[in-house]
């Protein structure tokens, strides 16, 4: 996993390693190596705080760590559940993060340690940090995508069109569209214009629909072997890249 600092001067990565490597973009040189005390756990996800001063790193069977982006020093270990794997994490603000473990989403205030638990699996955060997407729980729930407000923590909408478990979720760069992939062999594009996070009112998702010049559609792959496991929108928002189980 690799992520760039908001000002583009630095990037951090955890490429199947426990150590977090921080590089300077212009110099292309290693700046810091952030090494947790527990060496047996692999890194999973990386995210910079909005002000670029901290880096959130999640791990397999270890609690999330907060690192100082300038010095590489450990700032904080966020107590979630060290026996569980935190697959994904993101900053909602400079003081608040969202992460997931054991099919639950945790919103944690880094200053007060106040937290809110949601019984779904956090997956993706919109570019404006106002909307989060999670995968549901249970045998039937993992087929669904849940959209919720990051400020009120309330569920705004639920996507239930997939017939098998969700494999990936991604927001478009402008936050107006969502891509979902599933073991049912489809990739779907969803129009989020009618999900109103500003007034926390009733929301409606319609899909597939039009996004920035890309007509909404459902992509069907050729059987189980071609299940799309990852999807990523390209910067212009009109194209996306995918990865299947064979790379």
């Amino acid at each position: 996993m690799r992520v760039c600092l908001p000002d583009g001067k630095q990037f951090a990565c955890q490429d199947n390693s426990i150590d977090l490597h921080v590089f300077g973009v212009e110099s292309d040189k290693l700046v810091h190596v952030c090494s947790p005390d527990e060496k047996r756990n692999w890194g999973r996800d990386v995210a910079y705080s909005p002000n670029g001063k901290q880096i959130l790193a999640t791990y397999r069977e270890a609690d999330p760590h907060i690192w100082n982006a300038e010095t590489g020093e450990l700032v904080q270990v966020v107590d979630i559940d060290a026996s569980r794997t935190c697959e994904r994490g993101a900053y909602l603000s400079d003081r608040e993060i969202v992460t997931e473990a054991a099919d639950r989403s945790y919103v944690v205030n880094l200053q007060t340690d106040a937290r809110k638990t949601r019984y779904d699996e956090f997956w993706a955060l919109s570019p404006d940090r106002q909307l989060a997407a999670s995968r549901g729980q249970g045998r039937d729930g993992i087929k669904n995508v849940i959209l919720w407000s990051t400020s009120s923590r309330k569920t705004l909408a639920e996507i239930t069109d997939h017939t098998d478990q969700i494999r990936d979720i991604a927001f478009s760069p402008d936050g107006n569209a969502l891509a979902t992939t599933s073991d049912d062999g489809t990739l779907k594009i969803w129009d989020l214009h009618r999900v109103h996070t500003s007034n926390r009112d009733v929301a409606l998702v319609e899909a597939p629909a039009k996004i920035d010049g890309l007509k909404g559609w459902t992509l069907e792959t050729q059987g189980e072997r071609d299940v799309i496991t990852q999807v990523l929108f390209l910067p212009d928002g009109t194209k996306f890249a995918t990865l299947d189980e064979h790379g």
Side-chain angles (χ1 to χ4, degrees), residues 58-111:
T58 64
Y59 304 91
R60 180 178 181 272
E61 297 179 357
D63 288 320
H65 286 45
I66 306 294
W67 301 93
N68 185 303
E70 183 178 356
T71 66
E73 296 177 348
L74 180 64
V75 176
Q76 184 177 350
V77 177
V78 184
D79 183 14
I80 299 295
D81 184 347
S83 66
R84 303 288 187 175
T85 296
C86 291
E87 290 285 352
R88 288 162 290 277
Y91 278 89
L92 300 182
S93 68
D94 291 323
R95 298 181 298 176
E96 198 171 48
I97 66 167
V98 57
T99 186
E100 65 81 26
D103 298 331
R104 296 182 182 182
S105 300
Y106 299 91
V107 177
V108 183
N109 187 301
L110 298 175
Q111 294 184 339

Side-chain angles (χ1 to χ4, degrees), residues 108-122:
V108 183
N109 187 301
L110 298 175
Q111 294 184 339
T112 66
D113 199 41
R115 59 191 61 204
K116 172 73 174 180
T117 302
R118 286 184 53 93
Y119 293 92
D120 50 35
E121 186 179 355
F122 167 72

